[in-house]
Amino acid sequence: MRFPTLAATVCAVVASTAASADPINLTLSGGNPGGLWSLLGAGIDRAAKADDSDSVVTYQATGGGFANIGLLGANRTDLGLLHDAEAKIALQGGEPFQAPIENMRAIGYMYNWAPMHFFLDRDIAEEYDIDSLDDIAGSGAPLRIGINRSGNITSNVALFMLEEAGVTEESIEDNGGQYVRAGANEQADLIQDGRLDMITNGIFINHSSFRSVDENSDVVLLDVPQEVVEATNEEFGTGTMVIPAESYSNQDEDVTTSALGALLVATESMPEETAYSLAQSLVNNIDEVRAVHGSMKQLSPDLLATPSVLEFHPGAEKAYQEAGLLK
């Protein structure tokens, strides 16, 4: 009787192990039902299924990034989508967190092209000679400025950028203006109806709410001083992005501003093989994620593997190293 060689036995075991690798079964906490993050959840699920039809990534609607960080911190979800700026606040234990959240590990960057926009009514811009964010402070203009609702990270970022440019809620009120808390679509309606003079938000270029503003209101896109962009990126871990000239009707020149990004995040307790399998599926089947929305066409394996404010999960890091995306 012939017995298999040791080498053959080892190869058979390895092959058997690889073939019988368990499918992943994970819960992903995202944002509002029907929003971009819910679409990303569907794309991530399809990417996992493309490698193993038994794999499942179940999307769970939540209040957004801050809520997802709370769930991750308490180990009550497997995965969460959150903004890079939210992750940095959590690492520092800033509001709304009572202590640093330190168990988060990145699986990959999903996008980094949601630039902060500052639209101002054109008549007011011309009357008070306001071209840039830092012109507001000394203008004396009684501006009614739309700021996103508390709990939305663009609110934190907008307030910080305005303050870095010398604009505070107190100074606006002294001029007879006010800050008005309203979501993106609400802001579009309010400026169109003449109940706001200026709106602020960090969403994709030509997002539907911005298109509505551009088409239905006579507005200009304000410049942002370089020092404000740099201070914002240092504070929140955001990046720098150029909004190309003519992206909007009255925009003759490029506008450089800070841009938010979104991360797919797990916890340090996720098994290495699970994180490895998920990251590998995202790289191999990235078209499944790109296809969920036109704004995701720029997603690339290189972006997935871009370092962020969070450390990579060791399993994801291994997958990216094997794909030649990380050294």
Side-chain angles (χ1 to χ4, degrees):
M1 180 180 293
R2 297 182 62 188
F3 294 93
T5 63
L6 178 60
T9 301
V10 170
C11 289
V13 170
V14 170
S16 174
T17 302
S20 62
D22 291 335
I24 62 173
N25 189 343
L26 302 170
T27 297
L28 166 60
S29 298
N32 295 327
L36 176 65
W37 283 8
S38 68
L39 299 178
L40 286 177
I44 292 166
D45 178 56
R46 289 201 294 267
K49 279 182 167 61
D51 282 342
D52 188 328
S53 61
D54 292 326
S55 288
V56 178
V57 177
T58 303
Y59 183 81
Q60 170 179 279
T62 73
F66 283 135
N68 297 340
I69 291 171
L71 293 170
L72 290 164
N75 287 300
R76 291 171 53 198
T77 190
D78 301 310
L79 294 165
L81 287 166
L82 48 120
H83 292 102
D84 39 17
E86 292 163 331
K88 187 157 187 183
I89 290 172
L91 290 173
Q92 297 168 342
E95 292 185 7
F97 306 104
Q98 297 180 342
I101 308 294
E102 299 177 333
N103 68 333
M104 299 182 295
R105 298 294 181 267
I107 297 296
Y109 238 129
M110 304 309 295
Y111 61 80
N112 63 353
W113 49 83
M116 291 297 298
H117 291 59
F118 298 86
F119 285 110
L120 178 62
D121 178 89
R122 186 164 71 161
D123 287 341
I124 292 177
E126 292 176 352
E127 179 180 353
Y128 290 92
D129 196 23
I130 301 173
D131 297 314
S132 176
L133 213 56
D134 58 350
D135 292 332
I136 296 173
S139 69
L143 300 179
R144 296 162 297 172
I145 302 177
I147 304 287
N148 217 318
R149 298 188 182 280
S150 296
N152 185 303
I153 188 59
T154 62
S155 166
N156 302 54
V157 177
L159 290 171
F160 180 87
M161 295 180 77
L162 286 164
E163 189 162 343
E164 285 294 308
V167 182
T168 65
E169 186 166 12
E170 292 74 19
S171 68
I172 288 295
E173 289 176 349
D174 287 345
N175 292 334
Q178 65 179 131
Y179 283 167
V180 178
R181 296 285 184 167
N185 292 325
E186 293 174 282
Q187 289 187 28
D189 291 339
L190 289 170
I191 197 168
Q192 181 180 342
D193 293 344
R195 288 179 286 167
L196 283 180
D197 307 303
M198 178 175 167
I199 65 171
T200 69
N201 221 329
I203 322 178
F204 302 134
I205 296 171
N206 274 311
H207 179 271
S208 58
S209 63
F210 288 157
R211 285 202 307 274
S212 176
V213 170
D214 190 45
E215 292 169 2
N216 299 306
S217 306
D218 193 12
V219 294
V220 294
L221 184 65
L222 297 182
D223 288 330
V224 181
Q226 181 179 349
E227 57 270 23
V228 172
V229 174
E230 292 174 353
T232 304
N233 294 347
E234 176 68 23
E235 178 75 10
F236 292 102
T238 46
T240 300
M241 183 173 174
V242 174
I243 302 174
E246 300 183 0
S247 294
Y248 301 100
S249 299
N250 297 322
Q251 183 196 355
D252 296 329
E253 298 181 355
D254 292 348
V255 170
T256 301
T257 185
S258 293
L260 294 156
L263 301 167
L264 179 62
V265 177
T267 68
E268 60 187 3
S269 63
M270 177 177 281
E272 184 171 332
E273 59 270 22
T274 302
Y276 172 84
S277 178
L278 178 58
Q280 190 177 56
S281 291
L282 290 173
V283 171
N284 292 342
N285 309 303
I286 199 165
D287 284 342
E288 298 290 349
V289 185
R290 287 178 177 144
V292 303
H293 192 272
S295 62
M296 292 305 300
K297 291 178 181 178
Q298 300 175 60
L299 179 61
S300 68
D302 284 327
L303 180 67
L304 281 172
T306 298
S308 70
V309 297
L310 294 177
E311 295 178 20
F312 276 119
H313 190 290
E317 185 174 40
K318 178 182 176 183
Y320 297 141
Q321 285 173 338
E322 289 184 1
L325 299 169
L326 284 176
K327 295 183 180 179

